C-alpha cells in the first residue's frame, strides 16, 4: 500500500516507493508459500474447488471495495465538493449501515426464497450498480440521488457478510469452517486495502491543484473496471453452479 501511494505521489520516480512495492509483493508471495506448509493454514485455497465459495469470495472482494474505497472517498466528496457539515455527511453515510441492518432482518426469508447462490450474485450486481452510479455524481447531484448508490453499497456489504457465512456453513465440514471464513475474510481485507491504495494513486495521478471532480471520476472509472471484471467472473461461476444443479 505504501509503495503504491508513495509511487503515485512521486510520479513513480521514488526508489523507496519501488522498494516498498517489491517488499509488499514478496511478502505476500512468502505468506502464501509458508502458510501452505502449516498444519492449520490461515489461507485454505482448496475451498475454492466449490463454486459457491468462489462466488462468496467475489462478493466479498467487492464488499472490500465498498468498505474501504467508498467509505473513504464518499465522505471526502461530501465535505470538499459539496461542503456539507459533518452532521449531514454522517446522516448520508448512515444509509450504508441502515441497508446492512435491513439485510439482517430479512436474510433468513431471502435465503429460503432465493437461495444463497442467487443472493451472492445479487450482492455482486448491487455493488456493480452502486459503483457505476458514482460515475454520475457531480457538484450539483441531488442529495436524494446519492441515497441510491449508498443503499446499494450497504446491500452488498450486508449480503456479503451473511451469505458468505451461510455458504461456508453449507459447503464446508465443521472442522474447516474457521479456515474457510478466515480465507474469504482475508481476501475481503486484502482486496479492499489494495484497491484503496490503487484508487488513491489514480486520484493523485489526475489531480491538478485543488481539483477534485476529475480525479474522483477517474478513480470511479478504475473501480468500475474492477467491478466489471468481478461481474464477468461471477456470471461464469453462476452458470457453472446452475449446470451442476441440473
Amino acid at each position: 500500500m505504501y509503495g503504491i501511494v508513495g509511487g503515485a505521489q512521486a510520479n513513480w520516480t521514488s526508489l523507496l516507493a519501488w522498494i516498498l512495492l517489491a517488499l509488499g509483493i514478496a511478502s505476500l508471495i512468502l505468506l502464501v508459500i509458508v502458510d501452505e506448509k502449516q498444519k492449520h493454514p490461515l489461507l485454505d485455497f482448496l475451498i475454492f474447488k466449490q463454486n459457491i465459495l468462489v462466488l462468496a469470495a467475489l462478493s466479498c472482494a467487492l464488499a472490500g471495495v465498498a468498505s474501504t474505497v467508498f467509505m473513504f472517498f464518499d465522505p471526502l466528496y461530501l465535505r470538499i465538493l459539496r461542503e456539507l457539515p459533518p452532521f449531514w455527511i454522517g446522516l448520508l453515510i448512515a444509509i450504508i449501515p441502515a441497508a446492512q441492518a435491513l439485510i439482517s432482518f430479512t436474510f433468513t426469508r431471502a435465503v429460503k426464497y432465493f437461495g444463497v447462490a442467487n443472493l451472492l450474485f445479487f450482492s455482486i450486481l448491487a455493488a456493480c450498480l452502486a459503483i457505476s452510479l458514482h460515475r454520475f455524481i457531480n457538484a450539483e447531484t441531488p442529495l436524494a440521488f446519492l441515497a441510491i448508490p449508498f443503499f446499494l453499497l450497504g446491500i452488498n456489504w450486508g449480503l456479503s457478510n451473511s451469505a458468505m457465512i451461510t455458504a461456508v456453513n453449507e459447503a464446508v465440514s465443521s472442522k474447516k469452517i474457521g479456515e474457510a471464513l478466515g480465507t474469504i475474510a482475508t481476501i475481503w481485507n486484502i482486496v479492499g486495502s489494495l484497491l484503496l491504495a490503487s484508487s488513491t494513486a489514480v486520484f493523485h495521478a489526475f489531480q491538478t491543484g485543488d481539483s477534485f471532480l476529475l480525479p474522483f471520476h477517474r478513480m470511479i472509472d478504475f473501480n468500475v473496471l474492477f467491478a466489471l471484471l468481478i461481474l464477468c467472473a461471477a456470471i461464469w461461476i453462476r452458470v457453472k453452479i446452475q449446470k451442476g444443479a441440473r
Side-chain angles (χ1 to χ4, degrees), residues 15-242:
L15 178 61
L16 178 60
W18 283 106
I19 291 174
L20 290 174
L21 188 60
L23 285 174
I25 295 172
S27 298
L28 185 60
I29 295 172
L30 186 62
L31 169 65
V32 174
I33 294 173
V34 172
D35 193 56
E36 284 186 348
K37 297 180 180 179
Q38 303 303 310
K39 184 177 180 180
H40 299 290
L42 172 66
L43 304 174
D44 183 7
F45 294 110
L46 293 177
I47 65 171
F48 296 123
K49 290 182 179 180
Q50 303 201 51
N51 290 321
I52 187 66
L53 297 187
V54 177
L55 200 61
L58 292 173
S59 178
C60 287
L62 283 181
V65 176
S67 60
T68 54
V69 176
F70 291 98
M71 288 297 283
F72 177 79
F73 279 100
D74 283 341
L76 284 181
Y77 159 79
L78 294 171
R79 185 71 189 100
I80 295 173
L81 203 61
R82 304 304 297 269
E83 298 182 344
L84 294 180
F87 174 79
W88 283 104
I89 294 174
L91 195 63
L92 285 167
I93 296 299
I95 294 172
I96 297 175
Q100 291 178 263
L102 178 63
I103 291 297
S104 67
F105 288 121
T106 60
F107 182 74
T108 302
R109 288 185 178 181
V111 169
K112 291 180 180 179
Y113 282 112
F114 302 107
V116 178
N118 286 329
L119 289 179
L120 285 168
F121 189 74
F122 177 73
S123 170
I124 293 169
L125 286 176
C128 289
L129 182 57
I131 295 171
S132 299
L133 286 175
H134 273 77
R135 191 60 181 79
F136 299 97
I137 294 176
N138 54 50
E140 299 177 354
T141 301
L143 295 181
F145 175 83
L146 299 179
I148 301 173
F150 290 178
F151 183 79
L152 290 172
L153 287 175
I155 292 295
N156 165 254
W157 199 339
L159 281 178
S160 294
N161 263 317
S162 302
M164 178 264 285
I165 294 172
T166 303
V168 168
N169 278 283
E170 290 182 356
V172 177
S173 65
S174 58
K175 294 181 180 180
K176 293 285 187 177
I177 287 177
E179 293 177 7
L181 290 174
T183 299
I184 298 176
T186 300
I187 290 173
W188 180 320
N189 291 324
I190 289 177
V191 170
S193 299
L194 290 176
L195 263 292
L196 176 58
S198 301
S199 297
T200 303
V202 171
F203 184 90
H204 281 298
F206 287 93
Q207 188 177 34
T208 55
D210 295 329
S211 64
F212 184 88
L213 192 58
L214 175 63
F216 181 75
H217 281 162
R218 296 292 85 81
M219 180 275 298
I220 296 299
D221 292 340
F222 172 73
N223 282 277
V224 167
L225 178 60
F226 176 77
L228 289 177
L229 291 174
I230 294 292
L231 179 59
C232 290
I235 292 172
W236 178 54
I237 295 298
R238 187 66 190 91
V239 170
K240 290 179 67 176
I241 291 174
Q242 196 164 5

